[in-house]
Amino acid sequence: MSSRVSAALLALLLAVSVTAPAAAAPVLSTPGPLQQTTETPTPAPVTENTTFYVQLQPNGDARWTITDTYALEDENDTEAFEQLAQQFVDGNAGTEWEAAFREANDAATTATGREMNVTSVNRDYVVDDRRGILILEFTWTNFATVDGDRLAVGDAFNTTDGTWLNSLTDDQTLVIAAPAGYGVQSSPPTMGVRNGELRFEGPRTFEPGFLEVAYTGNQGPTTSTTTEDPNPGGALGNTPLWAGALLVLVVGIVVAVGYMNREPGDPSAPVSAASPSDGDDGGDPEVKPESNGNGTDAAEAVSDIDVELLSDEERVERLIEQNGGRMKQARIVKETGWSNAKVSQLLSAMDEDDRIDKLRIGRENLISFPDEDVTEIDE
């Protein structure tokens, strides 16, 4: 790509966020289409921030989620945003980001010689708590290079004369997230890693080659190279294993024999729930709460699960289950503390895998399990 095209791309990336409010938030559209839909033009809401969330995949693809958040101060702002958001979802407005990243993709393909494409484009929006959020998702194929269990990110940011992303404005954030099971092997200096994510907040600049990150996947169990006997228990195999099994068998036989030989009326004999023992008043036997074996009720055991040990998908599923099988997307954002970009991307992936269903209800998305009846929706 020529220097002229690269410069134009950079200008577009920056202009999307820094254009003055008087320009009617060009990330959505010019004021023209909005004025055509209403008799009295309503000023477009102003962008508060933009997040670029890059979720890497083990095959080298990257799922990008771009969220533009707008402040909705009153009903006029909300009405204007919803009109623009619907045009955005229909692909009739707010096409600047998609066009910019398609150009970046072409530039990176030329610079690296590696075939890349922008695919699986999805548009959505959410209105919640006096904020409107436009969500653009797409897959950038071959964004990272793959060498066994190693992923390398960096050259996809290059052009033939530099980089197509050389800065972030003060309201822009870039987040690069590792695939599940991968750890950061190397990253830009002074950058910390939190929950597998590298976070770059504007304002800042990037020199060509700065955004280079290497990840390493799970190594799996190590293969032993010792020459010890792999079956130290000899012909009987692992001695502790079969000895334990034999002990369990013996105890079982003793208990069974004792049960069959018990004397009638033996107070130690088990009492059937259907046949009250002597002296029973004939009432229902006492039913004790189910225990997990440690004296703790099963319900309490479930609540004691360490959520830090769960995957992101499992955390979402657990939240939905705790909320009766369905909940609003905005509440998932609030409960997890994750960004709108991360939650949107995660829910889209879970929807594609048939782990959840997404249903548009008015201004919000309702998230439920696939077999959940959502005919009656709680407000």
Side-chain angles (χ1 to χ4, degrees), residues 142-207:
N142 292 324
F143 184 78
T145 58
V146 182
D147 182 9
D149 60 358
R150 186 177 185 274
L151 287 179
V153 175
D155 62 352
F157 289 106
N158 295 342
T159 65
T160 53
D161 54 0
T163 175
W164 55 264
L165 181 62
N166 63 9
S167 66
L168 294 173
T169 61
D170 57 1
D171 59 351
Q172 292 179 333
T173 300
L174 170 67
V175 180
I176 304 177
Y182 279 70
V184 177
Q185 186 179 49
S186 63
S187 63
T190 72
M191 289 305 302
V193 181
R194 183 176 181 182
N195 297 326
E197 296 180 350
L198 284 170
R199 189 178 186 89
F200 305 86
E201 296 185 349
R204 66 170 303 151
T205 59
F206 300 115
E207 295 295 328

Side-chain angles (χ1 to χ4, degrees), residues 106-174:
D106 292 341
T109 296
T110 301
T112 62
R114 188 168 70 252
E115 184 65 28
M116 306 180 193
N117 289 291
V118 170
T119 65
S120 305
V121 179
N122 182 61
R123 296 163 175 262
D124 200 359
Y125 75 94
V126 174
V127 178
D128 173 61
D129 195 21
R130 304 180 72 86
R131 293 183 306 167
I133 304 169
L134 293 184
I135 304 168
L136 173 66
E137 298 175 303
F138 59 87
T139 296
W140 183 319
T141 63
N142 292 324
F143 184 78
T145 58
V146 182
D147 182 9
D149 60 358
R150 186 177 185 274
L151 287 179
V153 175
D155 62 352
F157 289 106
N158 295 342
T159 65
T160 53
D161 54 0
T163 175
W164 55 264
L165 181 62
N166 63 9
S167 66
L168 294 173
T169 61
D170 57 1
D171 59 351
Q172 292 179 333
T173 300
L174 170 67

Side-chain angles (χ1 to χ4, degrees), residues 202-215:
R204 66 170 303 151
T205 59
F206 300 115
E207 295 295 328
F210 179 81
L211 290 171
E212 292 186 351
V213 190
Y215 300 88

Side-chain angles (χ1 to χ4, degrees), residues 258-259 261-272 276-279:
Y259 183 87
N261 293 334
R262 73 188 187 282
E263 293 294 332
D266 184 355
S268 64
V271 179
S272 169
S277 62
D278 294 338

Side-chain angles (χ1 to χ4, degrees), residues 26 43-45 51 60 86 91 104 145 149 152 160 191 202 216 285 297 328 355 376:
T51 298
Q86 191 56 57
T145 58
D149 60 358
T160 53
M191 289 305 302
T216 303
D297 292 347
K328 294 178 180 178
R355 296 178 70 165
E376 295 182 3

Side-chain angles (χ1 to χ4, degrees), residues 42-58:
T42 305
V46 179
T47 309
E48 282 189 328
N49 58 72
T50 299
T51 298
F52 307 96
Y53 192 91
V54 187
Q55 177 63 64
L56 299 173
Q57 308 296 325

Side-chain angles (χ1 to χ4, degrees), residues 61 159 367:
D61 292 351
T159 65
I367 311 302

